[in-house]
Amino acid sequence: MRTRLRIETAISAYLIDQKIEPSSTWLVELPKDRSNGDYASNIAFVLARTLKKSPQAIAQDLAKALPSYFKDKAWIGIQVLPAKGFINFILPVTVCWQALQDETFAKGDEVNPERILLEYVSANPTGPLHIGHGRWAALGDSLARLLKRVGHSVETEFYVNDAGNQIDKLIASVSAIKEGRPVPEEGYGGGYVKDLVEESDPIVALMKQQQVTLSDFRVVFNAWTREKETLHETGLVQKAIDQLTLKGITYSEKGALFFRSTDRGDDKDRVLIKSTGELTYFAADIAYHQQKALRGYDRLINIWGADHHGYITRVKAGIKALVGEKPEFEVLLGQLVTLLREGVEVRMSKRTGDMVSLQEVIDEIGTDAARFFLVIKNADTHLDFDLELAKKQSNDNPVFYVQYAHARICSILRKSETKPLVHVHLELHPTELKLLKFLLSFEDEVILAASRREPHRIANYLIELATHFHSFYHDCKVNVDDQVVAQNRLAICLSVKRILAEGLELLGISAPESM
RNA sequence: GCGCCUGUAGCUCAGUUGGAUAGAGCAACGGCCUUCUAAGCCGUAGGCCGAACGUUCGAAUCGUUUCAGGCGCACCA
């Protein structure tokens, strides 16, 4: 971002000098085709209307004038080229090099750092985690890492629904098995339920099991909040309901207590207390979010499956009613995962026990491959996860392609006897130059991925970086006799290694020294 | 019926705050290991970006309509 910021600053300075006020927003971005330049701006298109000149003519003028606005010595060689109305910027190698050397490269660039609470997975403790939870786990954990990386302060939380109907059914199923009775209808009959018979507290046992799986998946939460003890036993749910009633936004009807959520965009009012006297999950949920809000965050982010889409408006309405506009409430919806084995869908049912658990997936294909598969696709596209395919592909799985690049660099470093220099001389092989320039764009990718909450961008960036590196490896031998060249290339290798490792780290994937 | 997501190469998907000839991997075909790990590199072929209309100097990207698939629309969780 800092590099891009320099360019934006130069353009702004020019506009101020010329007393030009753009009619709408312009930007400096990575060109789609990197061979056009390192950065590009659409400013000429934007100014065309105000200046009543063609974008091409404006671009010509700007290209001539802009270089003198880069005051820093290192930037002196910058090329500013007009092209079909675009303005392309080609950075001097030294600028790229210096940016990469900076300890804080692609780190802490967020303009408005926030205190964020990210809640994800939050699976009921009624069975093992499945592949769908795996998607939220991979997504949430990577997102947390990304948000931290750009400078937010992030805490992660797993909300444990250890109260309510489903829990009662599970307990009933366990005792039924224990006493040799058949599992009640609508109960849980999966194989794992039989194993719970030995446990003094089946819920805790399942929670621990989930924790082990997540830990194997390299996903660790700052907090596991248990609904029963933090919300019900403390009376906080009732308190939240009372507050709503006090505000006059509840009403009784047919023996139930309703929350007037239609006042805040919902299409029907929601029940807080059923006519049976039981509290709804919705009541507990808004109490929970109220508690989160009171802890003083700027933003609450939740990751939910698309099947909870209908829930957003009402929970948002509840939060707004209880705590106001203060903490932003943001829900990231992820589309569902279909688990396949050789193209045939594996139905996910905890009740029948007909399922493949996340633990089994991890054991079968490994955490690295599983996480990569789950995070590489945009969260809003439906994901088909084929176990056999994931296993079969494991040799040309993109994750290995990326890891291989890292391992290759480590191998080069092991074989090299020269020490890297601090700077690069200016004569670079074209492939080498492309690689260097691509490294620089990590900065922009991280910012974009974090601000749009799209970790899959990092996975795609890494694949592309690995591609650039493998080409470089092929075209440019590192350990050559010419010491200047060797040191240069070694220095580039070190940068690639660092970015690969940092990128993989953001995805919670290992960067092996050898393969 | 209403809401949200998706529809891009044979397959799996990038690209979507409008921009420069629409990209990658797999599959297919053809090259490259006496040289730092061939889990690699290079090349060829493959497209009316679901369809139609509209907004714009400019649309895969925005709007309307429509078709197809997924997921929701409880005093269930």
Side-chain angles (χ1 to χ4, degrees), chain A residues 341-356:
Chain A
R341 196 180 272 285
E342 287 174 336
V344 182
E345 183 172 352
V346 182
R347 271 272 154 212
M348 288 301 192
S349 168
K350 281 183 197 168
R351 296 218 171 87
T352 63
D354 177 17
M355 66 178 295
V356 176

Side-chain angles (χ1 to χ4, degrees), chain A residues 185-348:
Chain A
E185 234 177 284
E186 299 283 303
Y188 290 85
Y192 67 90
V193 181
K194 295 184 188 73
D195 302 335
L196 294 169
V197 169
E198 311 286 315
E199 302 289 344
S200 57
D201 187 339
I203 302 303
V204 170
L206 283 168
M207 233 178 88
K208 290 217 171 110
Q209 191 186 38
Q210 292 181 346
Q211 284 169 332
V212 167
T213 299
L214 287 169
S215 152
D216 283 354
F217 208 45
R218 297 191 201 109
V219 174
V220 175
F221 289 86
N222 292 110
W224 287 63
T225 298
R226 297 187 61 177
E227 178 184 353
K228 201 170 169 186
E229 62 187 29
T230 55
L231 296 174
H232 294 287
E233 288 169 4
T234 53
L236 285 171
V237 181
Q238 191 55 52
K239 203 170 152 193
I241 293 173
D242 292 345
Q243 285 170 14
L244 290 174
T245 302
L246 223 62
K247 288 174 198 263
I249 40 184
T250 63
Y251 62 91
S252 297
E253 194 178 289
K254 294 176 194 163
L257 188 73
F258 283 76
F259 166 52
R260 208 181 292 281
S261 54
T262 43
D263 285 356
R264 296 169 188 272
D266 206 354
D267 51 9
K268 59 179 76 159
D269 293 334
R270 305 295 168 174
V271 172
L272 295 165
I273 306 176
K274 305 183 206 172
S275 50
T276 59
E278 291 172 295
L279 297 168
T280 59
Y281 262 72
F282 172 61
D285 272 350
I286 57 176
Y288 172 50
H289 284 92
Q290 177 188 31
Q291 292 311 308
K292 291 204 289 190
L294 292 175
R295 286 196 255 152
Y297 299 100
D298 299 314
R299 181 180 298 274
L300 307 177
I301 303 182
N302 282 25
I303 298 180
W304 288 351
D307 52 343
H308 285 71
H309 170 256
Y311 218 60
I312 298 175
T313 313
R314 74 189 75 162
V315 172
K316 202 171 258 180
I319 296 173
K320 299 297 177 206
L322 281 170
V323 301
E325 305 292 322
K326 280 186 292 176
E328 296 285 338
F329 178 61
E330 181 180 336
V331 176
L332 304 179
L333 275 191
Q335 297 300 309
L336 304 179
V337 183
T338 307
L339 190 68
L340 308 170
R341 196 180 272 285
E342 287 174 336
V344 182
E345 183 172 352
V346 182
R347 271 272 154 212
M348 288 301 192

